[in-house]
Amino acid sequence: MKLPLAFSFSLFAATVIARDVAQSPIDLHSTEDQTRQDGRKRIAIVGGGIAAASLAYSLYADYGYLQPMDLTIYEVAARVGGRVNSTLVDNLAYTYGGFVDTGASTFSADDWCLQTAIDDAGMRREVVEGVPSYQQPTAGVWDGQTFVLRRDRDLKSRTQLEYARDILKYGLSARKLQKFIRDKLPLFHSLYSNNQDPNPNLPDAIRRLGLEEESRRPADEYLMGNGIPPEIIHNIIQPTVRALFAHNLSDLNAVSALIAMNPTATYRLESEPRGNLELVSRLIRLSEARTLLNTHVSMISRSSNGKYTMVVSVTDPLATLGTKENDEYDAVVIATHLQGAGIEFDFPAPLLPKSLPDFVERHVTHFSTRQEIRLAPSFFNLTIANEIPDLIFTTSGSRISNETDIFTVEHYDTSDGFSGDMIEQINIYKIISSGPIPDSMILQMLGNSPDSSLQSSGVKWIDRQVWPLASPKHTRGPQLDNVELANGVFYTGLSDELLSSMEMSCRMGRRVAHMVYRKLRPPMGFAGHL
C-alpha cells in the first residue's frame, strides 16, 4: 500500500529522530555543583542497573524526607541499565520497525518489586502481556531430532483443563509439581517484602522462610528426589528453565526451577523506543541522583574520618586516568558484580570472601527477514514451514550447534517496518545462546548455503549482544553472609547467587536502601523517625 509522500517524509523524519534519541547515551550527569546542606548524607552507588535504580529511588522516595541524602551513581558504560537493554530494529534502509529487548525482557504478575517500580515510574499503561506478537504464539520442545512436545503459548499449565492434560500424559505424579509450586512460590514472593525485619541478611531470610534446601540443592536432584517424573523434567521443566535463565537444571538451585514454572502471566514494557530500559532510566531520574556515565570506579578509599572517596577512571581518552575525587561519602553501595568490576579497597573488608562465584557469558542475537523468508522446515527435520513453532524451546542434549548451546529460538510475529514510502512486513527472530551465532548458522537455519550472504538470503537487519557476566555459573545459595561488606559499604550482587533475575535485583536494591537509611538515620529524638 502506497502512503502519501508528505506523510512518508514526516514519518521518516520522526523515526530518524526517535532512533537518534534512543541510541544516544543517556547522559544524566548534572553539571551543577551540589552543595551539601547541614545534615545531608552523601551516598555513592557503583553501577547503573535495575538494582541501582531501585536503590536510588527508594532512598529518595521512601527515606529522603526522613534523612535528606545526595546520591551519586557511577556507571562504567555510556548508558544506564546494566543487563537491561534494548535496541531499535533497523532493516538497513534507515527505517524504523520498533525495538527489541536485548537483555532482561519479561516479568511476572507476582514480581511485586518490579510491579511497584512500574507504578512509581508512571508506566502502568505501557505494560503488555506476553511476547511481542499479534497473535497467540505456538511453542515446541526440540531435542535435536524432533519436537517432542507442542503446546500453545508456552509449556506451563495454568488451567484445570491443562492440569488434567498433564495427568493424562504423565500420570498422577504430575500433581506433585503443581503442589510444589503452590506451596513454595508464595514463600519466595514474601522474601524482603517487609523492610521492618531486624535481620537483613539474605541467608537468614531464606532460612526463616523454609527455603534453605531449595536455595542450595541442584534443581534436577531436588525435583527427582521429590518424585517429579523424569518425562516432565526433560520435556517441560528443563526447556522452560533453559529459556528463562539460559542454564541447565543441574547448574541452578530449585528456587530457579520453581520460578521458571510460575504459572502466572508474564509481562513486558512496550515503552518505545527503550522497552524495559526506560524503567531503569526513569527511576534514576526520579531519584534526582547525579549520574556519571563512562566512569569506572577502580578503588574505594576510606579516610581517617571514616568517610569514603572514589578513585575513578573515565573512558574519555582526554581525561586523566586514576583521578581521586574530592567528594566524600557517608556510605557506598556496590550495585554491580564484583567479579568484573575491578574494584580495590584500601581498607579491610573482612566479610568479602577470597573467591567469588564464576559467571558465564551469554549471547542474544536478533535478526529480521522479509515476510516471505522464514526458518527452513528441513533444518528441524520437518516438511511444512507452518509446523515450526514460534517459540522453540530446547533440551540439554539438543545441540543445534556443536560449538554453541542454543537455549531458545523465538519468532516474533510480523512487525511493521517502513521502507521509503511503503509499509512492509518483517519477521524478527531472537536466539539466546552460550556463544556467538555466526552468519553461517543463520543462513543454514533459513535453508541457505553457509557460504551465501545474509542480504541475498533475505536478512534485512542483525544485532548481536554479548553479556560477559550474564549470571553465576552455578547457583547454590549466597556465599556471603552479610550484605554489608564493611562499615557503610554494601553489596547488592549476592542476590544473583540465589536467583539471577530483574525482580531479585530490584528487591535487593530496595532492601539495601533500608539498610543504608538505618545506618545513616538521625538520632532517635529526630521528629518523624521510623
Side-chain angles (χ1 to χ4, degrees):
M1 179 182 69
K2 283 276 187 178
L3 291 173
L5 185 59
F7 174 79
S8 175
F9 177 79
S10 300
L11 182 60
F12 173 78
T15 53
V16 168
I17 292 172
R19 181 218 315 280
D20 292 341
V21 171
Q23 294 184 340
S24 61
I26 307 172
D27 190 355
L28 308 178
H29 180 192
S30 172
T31 57
E32 298 180 1
D33 292 334
Q34 295 193 355
T35 58
R36 186 174 184 181
Q37 302 177 15
D38 291 341
R40 297 182 71 85
K41 302 294 185 180
R42 306 193 71 170
I43 317 297
I45 303 171
V46 183
I50 185 64
S54 174
L55 165 79
Y57 180 80
S58 183
L59 286 173
Y60 171 82
D62 298 333
Y63 307 109
Y65 70 99
L66 296 168
Q67 170 58 67
M69 289 176 264
D70 290 331
L71 310 177
T72 299
I73 294 175
Y74 295 86
E75 170 55 52
V76 67
R79 60 163 184 85
V80 296
R83 289 175 294 177
V84 179
N85 194 19
S86 62
T87 187
L88 290 176
V89 176
D90 188 345
N91 65 6
L92 303 182
Y94 296 99
T95 64
Y96 177 64
F99 72 94
V100 290
D101 285 303
T102 59
S105 57
T106 61
F107 50 92
S108 79
D110 293 328
D111 288 343
W112 59 262
C113 186
L114 287 172
Q115 296 284 0
T116 301
I118 287 168
D119 289 332
D120 291 337
M123 299 181 66
R124 178 56 55 187
R125 290 186 176 182
E126 296 165 68
V127 175
V128 295
E129 184 176 352
V131 298
S133 176
Y134 296 114
Q135 61 186 19
Q136 181 167 293
T138 56
V141 179
W142 174 254
D143 69 353
Q145 298 296 324
T146 186
F147 285 97
V148 297
L149 183 69
R150 291 177 179 271
R151 289 188 172 177
D152 293 332
R153 187 167 47 178
D154 55 32
L155 307 181
K156 304 175 188 178
S157 295
R158 295 179 172 86
T159 66
Q160 292 299 323
L161 183 61
E162 290 171 336
Y163 291 143
R165 173 198 59 192
D166 288 347
I167 292 174
L168 287 174
K169 184 175 179 62
Y170 300 108
L172 291 175
S173 56
R175 293 188 298 182
K176 292 184 178 180
L177 176 61
Q178 303 164 19
K179 185 178 186 303
F180 280 126
I181 294 173
R182 184 174 62 250
D183 293 345
K184 298 297 183 179
L185 274 184
L187 298 177
F188 173 78
H189 294 319
S190 67
L191 179 64
Y192 282 166
S193 61
N194 180 12
N195 269 339
Q196 303 308 314
D197 188 342
N199 191 336
N201 294 341
L202 184 56
D204 289 343
I206 293 170
R207 282 191 290 270
R208 284 195 301 274
L209 291 173
L211 292 174
E212 189 170 18
E213 181 186 9
E214 287 77 10
S215 71
R216 296 191 177 278
R217 193 172 178 186
D220 54 347
E221 294 181 8
Y222 177 88
L223 294 169
M224 289 186 290
N226 283 281
I228 305 300
E231 295 83 3
I232 291 182
I233 296 175
H234 180 269
N235 294 346
I236 298 177
I237 303 177
Q238 174 89 278
T240 302
V241 167
R242 284 167 56 85
L244 183 62
F245 294 112
H247 277 280
N248 289 322
L249 272 175
S250 57
D251 298 331
L252 302 178
N253 56 23
V255 168
S256 301
L258 293 171
I259 291 297
M261 295 306 300
N262 186 354
T264 59
T266 57
Y267 298 91
R268 58 190 175 85
L269 284 172
E270 200 170 61
S271 174
E272 294 190 9
R274 287 205 294 264
N276 291 335
L277 179 57
E278 179 62 24
L279 175 62
V280 177
S281 301
R282 197 171 297 188
L283 289 175
I284 290 177
R285 286 192 175 98
L286 290 172
S287 74
E288 298 185 1
R290 179 177 65 128
T291 303
L292 306 179
L293 302 177
N294 298 305
T295 305
H296 172 239
V297 175
S298 57
M299 178 177 288
I300 301 174
S301 177
R302 185 165 63 192
S303 58
S304 58
N305 62 4
K307 298 188 183 299
Y308 297 95
T309 55
M310 306 291 114
V311 177
V312 302
S313 58
V314 183
T315 56
D316 184 348
L318 299 179
T320 302
L321 299 180
T323 302
K324 185 173 183 178
E325 287 200 324
N326 295 323
D327 294 335
E328 290 189 330
Y329 296 99
D330 300 283
V332 177
V333 180
I334 302 172
T336 187
H337 298 303
L338 285 171
Q339 286 85 343
I343 300 175
E344 296 181 356
F345 306 89
D346 74 347
F347 54 89
L351 297 179
L352 183 66
K354 294 181 179 180
S355 62
L356 292 166
D358 293 331
F359 271 56
V360 296
E361 180 178 283
R362 292 295 182 255
H363 294 246
V364 180
T365 304
H366 284 89
F367 65 93
S368 67
T369 67
R370 298 195 304 268
Q371 184 182 20
E372 69 275 13
I373 305 297
R374 300 211 172 194
L375 297 182
S378 58
F379 187 84
F380 298 98
N381 298 328
L382 299 173
T383 57
I384 303 175
N386 290 340
E387 293 180 343
I388 301 177
D390 297 305
L391 306 178
I392 300 175
F393 296 79
T394 61
T395 63
S396 58
S398 59
R399 305 305 295 183
I400 292 178
S401 165
N402 292 328
E403 297 80 18
T404 300
D405 193 1
I406 294 180
F407 300 101
T408 182
V409 180
E410 302 178 23
H411 168 234
Y412 301 152
D413 201 37
T414 52
S415 174
D416 286 337
F418 298 91
S419 180
D421 60 352
M422 296 291 294
I423 295 178
E424 63 177 352
Q425 301 291 310
I426 58 175
N427 302 305
I428 299 177
Y429 291 95
K430 175 183 180 180
I431 303 174
I432 300 178
S433 58
S434 62
I437 301 297
D439 291 354
S440 58
M441 183 182 296
I442 294 175
L443 290 166
Q444 288 176 301
M445 294 177 73
L446 294 173
N448 298 304
S449 167
D451 298 326
S452 56
S453 70
L454 291 177
Q455 189 171 5
S456 64
S457 300
V459 176
K460 303 176 69 62
W461 162 83
I462 188 167
D463 178 81
R464 291 180 170 96
Q465 175 71 60
V466 182
W467 297 106
L469 297 173
S471 57
K473 186 175 182 179
H474 300 284
T475 55
R476 297 291 185 267
Q479 293 188 18
L480 291 173
D481 291 330
N482 203 318
V483 176
E484 191 171 5
L485 303 180
N487 185 32
V489 179
F490 302 86
Y491 179 50
T492 68
L494 82 164
S495 63
D496 270 356
E497 299 172 33
L498 172 66
L499 180 71
S500 183
S501 70
M502 281 198 299
E503 171 66 11
M504 196 65 224
S505 296
C506 180
R507 292 190 200 183
M508 185 57 73
R510 287 174 61 96
R511 185 58 175 171
V512 172
H514 181 70
M515 296 174 65
V516 170
Y517 164 71
R518 288 175 63 90
K519 173 72 68 173
L520 304 179
R521 64 187 176 184
M524 293 297 292
F526 178 74
H529 169 65
L530 284 179

